Amino acid sequence: MNKRQTNFCKGIAVILLLIHHLFGNYEDIENFSVICTPLSGKSLAYLAQIFKVCVSIFVFLTGYGYMKSSQKMNDKVNSTYGEVTCKRYIRLMFGFWFIFIPALIINFVAGENVYGNGRLERCTNILIDGLGLAHVFQTPTINVTWWYMSYALLLVLITPFFIWLTEKTKLMIIPITIIVPRFLIDIDAIGNPHFITRYLLALILGIICAKYYSFERVAKISKKILYADIWLFLLLCVAIGIFRQRIGYFDISEAFLAMIICYLTVRIIPQEVKFWKILAIIGKHSLNIFLIHTFIFKYYFSDFVYSFKYAGLITIVLLVISLFLSILIEQLKKVLAYNKLENFVLKKIYQLYEREDVRTGKEIGIR
């Protein structure tokens, strides 16, 4: 799976995210009189709840991308995980801060106080939220959807450990990840969408698929049997979705569903067809869309977004507005030289690890 294919998967995840947030609550469908043709309101809500898998897709891609980045840096002496971790952390936070600061200013101008009453309390909560850690410390946040920022930052830190653990245990890491948490943690906590173990298996599956080139191998075998994998995995998507809704085990069902969706995306969508370029563009802007879409459809312009009545049209409107704002944000970053500041910080980190590689290499006689 190359970078463009990864963006295809992110684009799919973004669309699922918007549908999940817009229609996952049946009361919203009723209150805004959403027309769901050809589905019923309850069927749309049922489907939108399954689309919670979007989170597992992002986690899967994190594990996959992290492993691929580490593989590409195998020629380095000792900086592989440290450099990849710093790079991912810096890029994630720089993307977050550029949206967090204007959102904070708008919040204050609008006279909305979500951070508490005392000056010290407000400053502390703003700092924690600005670091993306509000969910970790259970402090107020300016945007409830940003709970995933805490999770994404945690993933940056823990993924190297699970890559190491996968190297040691091979495929046994899959049953270990499924079974061990159930001995240590309450099952209800594992099913909590904001709890770390909910998406741990998705991370592991991403690491494994990258490590063993699973997508490429399955696709190569399936071409010899008339692309039977596509039909098989489509049926599995339906079966796992129903299993998720009726039985649960969200950590397991969503992890495998995310993996299958990513595989089908890579297999079905042709890279060379220009029509699908829009999906890659959406994926490229996935972070910005994630950070801003809740402000649009929930906090400030809900009546406008839902005024388009038809579920499909509502989703398209929210997607177009979010994507348009994201493109403006990226252009503003260039005008303000924000990207140069980010690249400067990354360059300093690269130089730091390069010096460390040279020092270590000399010590062991490599250079």
Side-chain angles (χ1 to χ4, degrees), residues 225 282 323 333:
I225 52 177
I282 294 170
L323 181 59
K333 286 180 181 179

Side-chain angles (χ1 to χ4, degrees), residues 26 29 90 101 139 150 187 200 252 319 327 332 343 366:
Y26 179 64
I29 296 175
I90 292 298
I101 294 173
T139 53
S150 295
I187 293 294
L200 198 54
I252 301 173
L319 177 61
I327 293 171
L332 189 58
N343 291 332
I366 293 177

Side-chain angles (χ1 to χ4, degrees), residues 247-261:
I247 300 177
Y249 290 97
F250 301 116
D251 56 319
I252 301 173
S253 57
E254 289 180 3
F256 282 103
L257 188 57
M259 180 180 67
I260 292 172
I261 290 173

Side-chain angles (χ1 to χ4, degrees), residues 27-141:
E27 291 181 359
D28 290 335
I29 296 175
E30 279 197 321
N31 292 338
F32 289 103
S33 302
V34 177
I35 300 173
C36 309
T37 307
L39 301 175
S40 65
K42 290 185 177 179
S43 297
L44 177 60
Y46 184 92
L47 193 62
Q49 289 164 12
I50 297 175
F51 288 173
K52 180 73 175 180
V53 70
C54 61
V55 179
S56 293
I57 293 175
F58 284 122
V59 175
F60 176 90
L61 294 174
T62 298
Y64 192 100
Y66 216 122
M67 187 68 203
K68 283 298 183 185
S69 297
S70 299
Q71 288 173 335
K72 290 178 182 178
M73 300 172 70
N74 276 341
D75 59 321
K76 301 243 176 165
V77 177
N78 76 329
S79 68
T80 302
Y81 296 133
E83 185 172 341
V84 173
T85 298
C86 288
K87 174 184 175 181
R88 286 179 172 271
Y89 179 83
I90 292 298
R91 286 189 169 173
L92 181 61
M93 292 310 301
F94 266 77
F96 175 62
W97 287 331
F98 198 81
I99 293 176
F100 172 76
I101 294 173
L104 183 64
I105 294 172
I106 292 172
N107 184 265
F108 281 143
V109 171
E112 300 174 2
N113 179 22
V114 299
Y115 291 113
N117 298 318
R119 182 175 298 179
L120 178 61
E121 181 184 5
R122 284 200 301 269
C123 291
T124 302
N125 290 335
I126 290 171
L127 177 62
I128 293 173
D129 201 17
L131 292 174
L133 299 174
H135 182 66
V136 173
F137 291 97
Q138 294 296 296
T139 53
T141 177

Side-chain angles (χ1 to χ4, degrees), residues 162-179 201 204-214 217 256 259:
F162 284 102
I163 289 177
W164 172 84
L165 191 60
T166 302
E167 296 282 358
K168 296 296 181 182
T169 61
K170 308 300 180 183
L171 293 180
M172 281 301 297
I173 187 65
I174 296 178
I176 290 172
T177 305
I178 293 173
I179 296 170
L201 182 59
I204 295 299
L205 291 179
I207 293 171
I208 287 175
C209 287
K211 176 178 173 58
Y212 295 105
Y213 301 92
S214 302
R217 290 181 176 180
F256 282 103
M259 180 180 67

